[in-house]
Amino acid sequence: MERTKAQTQDNRVHNRSLLLATLYREGAMSRADLSRVSSLTAPTVSALVADLESDGLVADIEPRQEGGRRRGKPSMLVEIQDDAVNLVVLDLSHGDWFRGAVTNLRGEIVERSQVAVGTALGEAARDLVNQLVADLLERAPRRVLGIGVGSPGIVDDTGAIRQAAHLEWHDLPMARQLTEDFGIPAYVGNDVNAAALAVLHFRGTEAQNLMVIATEHGVGAGLVVGGELVTGEQFAAGEIGHLTVDVDGEACVCGRRGCLDPMIDAGHLRARLAAAADSGREAILAAAGQALGTVLAPIACALNLNEIVLTGPTDLIDGPLLDAAAETVQTRTLAPIGASLTVRSLAGDDDLILLGGVCLVLAGELGVL
């Protein structure tokens, strides 16, 4: 009997998420259309819609009249209320600032805040995260559905930060602590993985196999295959920064030489550009792009990627670096794969990780994504 109750509750949660996901993707629909699309019975749909209405997540709206007048009373449409609740999302990837925002269900930002990190490490840096969350909760005009955080480092599937060395965070159960501290469900993921989710759901891609490369603070990658985020068994998928691209190259902090990280990381690139004459700028950036393309080509072939997105400072990414990376990938991959592959820039898009936090909450709380 207990198992039957559990199954009934599980089915209700699944069906509720199914309706929300349908409305989120397709827009307003009648109850009859929801029943048809979801394959749920009309009474089940009506009961679930009533439940969602009581939570304020959906509401009935008048159907739009097109053309001439129709006979009979038209069916009311059910629509997600994008502004019914808020989400609090954080981007902890920047060295100088922790940034955050309050959004609606569509990721539209209604409030922003940030806190200077300074020299804070370990518990002090963790306290700044709480400070930022508290500030954003104060700013939120509606009930907050959840907290979504994109953090540097290796983050496991419970939202614990196993390692973020430069912040001196080790085995930090951030999701659990935030949930306990604020009484609101919290979800924490790797920052570049969050960016990959944001590209998938908020930046107009049609690709289901894609990779996002971040270069502003170290080098990392977020990987999506078949529309699903790939994290790896040790939650370290996408750690491409310490692949060797030049055995005689620059020394790396990992102890080896010629890693990708010192070749394309923004800080290293700026240092090389500052030391070079203006006439050498294009060659330096093109060499960085070629190194990146050399690393990405076998990954693109192995996974049949359809899109690679580069993020980081616009002045470094756009131009010779992007062009060289795209050309190198194209020339080193099988023709059918290269023909279907787009390499593009979202350099300067500062909201990607925040939108990734939105994705984490929508998936965890509503099952929408």
Side-chain angles (χ1 to χ4, degrees):
M1 181 65 70
E2 288 302 316
R3 182 56 190 157
T4 301
K5 289 181 180 179
Q7 288 175 332
T8 300
Q9 181 62 25
D10 290 345
N11 287 340
R12 185 174 183 82
V13 170
H14 174 269
N15 291 340
R16 174 185 164 105
S17 295
L18 177 60
L19 291 192
L20 281 170
T22 302
L23 291 170
Y24 196 85
R25 290 192 308 267
E26 306 297 333
M29 301 177 71
S30 70
R31 286 165 174 78
D33 285 339
L34 276 172
S35 178
R36 175 179 55 79
V37 170
S38 66
S39 299
L40 299 174
T41 66
T44 296
V45 168
S46 293
L48 289 169
V49 168
D51 180 45
L52 292 169
E53 284 179 329
S54 68
D55 286 344
L57 293 174
V58 305
D60 283 327
I61 63 169
E62 293 281 353
R64 298 178 182 87
Q65 296 293 337
E66 298 179 1
R69 298 178 62 185
R70 297 180 180 178
R71 293 182 179 179
K73 183 178 179 180
S75 299
M76 296 293 286
L77 302 180
V78 181
E79 183 178 61
I80 283 186
Q81 299 299 286
D82 295 338
D83 298 312
V85 294
N86 289 140
L87 286 66
V88 164
V89 292
L90 273 61
D91 172 2
L92 309 182
S93 67
H94 297 268
D96 298 328
W97 299 86
F98 290 158
R99 301 169 55 247
V102 177
T103 78
N104 70 2
L105 288 175
R106 295 288 173 182
E108 296 169 351
I109 293 175
V110 297
E111 292 283 347
R112 293 182 186 269
S113 186
Q114 61 184 25
V115 60
V117 177
T119 59
L121 298 170
E123 192 61 30
R126 171 67 181 80
D127 289 342
L128 290 177
V129 174
N130 267 35
Q131 179 182 321
L132 182 56
V133 170
D135 181 40
L136 291 166
L137 289 174
E138 285 288 327
R139 295 169 181 262
R142 305 277 189 239
R143 172 176 70 90
V144 173
L145 179 70
I147 301 166
V149 181
S151 170
I154 298 174
V155 185
D156 70 19
D157 55 358
T158 70
I161 301 171
R162 293 190 172 183
Q163 179 178 320
H166 76 282
L167 288 168
E168 295 187 1
W169 287 343
H170 303 278
D171 297 321
L172 174 64
M174 181 172 283
R176 178 175 62 78
Q177 289 181 358
L178 288 173
T179 300
E180 293 172 352
D181 290 343
F182 295 100
I184 297 170
Y187 300 87
V188 181
N190 170 267
D191 51 357
V192 192
N193 286 344
L197 290 174
V199 171
L200 180 67
H201 295 294
F202 286 106
R203 287 299 181 258
T205 185
E206 295 182 0
Q208 294 295 290
N209 288 7
L210 63 91
M211 177 176 274
V212 175
I213 311 298
T215 64
E216 188 158 8
H217 304 284
V219 176
L223 180 63
V224 172
V225 176
E228 298 290 335
L229 187 68
V230 176
T231 59
E233 290 190 55
Q234 284 71 48
F235 310 102
E239 290 292 336
I240 65 172
H242 297 287
L243 291 173
T244 301
V245 292
D246 179 4
V247 293
D248 298 317
E250 184 178 340
C252 181
V253 293
C254 73
R256 293 181 293 182
R257 304 191 72 86
C259 291
L260 181 65
D261 191 301
M263 284 290 295
I264 68 169
D265 164 68
H268 286 88
L269 261 181
R270 290 199 190 283
R272 289 204 299 280
L273 291 170
D278 289 344
S279 60
R281 175 182 177 83
E282 185 170 330
I284 290 171
L285 292 173
Q290 185 177 29
L292 176 59
T294 300
V295 167
L296 294 180
I299 301 174
C301 283
L303 299 176
N304 192 184
L305 297 180
N306 292 111
E307 186 168 84
I308 295 172
V309 177
L310 308 189
T311 70
T314 304
D315 63 314
L316 299 179
I317 296 297
D318 292 346
L321 191 154
L322 178 66
D323 294 343
E327 182 181 359
T328 303
V329 171
Q330 293 285 346
T331 57
R332 290 173 177 248
T333 54
L334 190 67
I337 295 174
S340 67
L341 176 63
T342 298
V343 181
R344 66 174 173 129
S345 165
L346 283 176
D349 189 337
D350 292 332
D351 290 338
L352 277 181
I353 295 172
L354 296 175
L355 290 172
V358 171
C359 295
L360 294 175
V361 176
L362 290 178
E365 285 301 295
L366 300 182
V368 166
L369 301 180

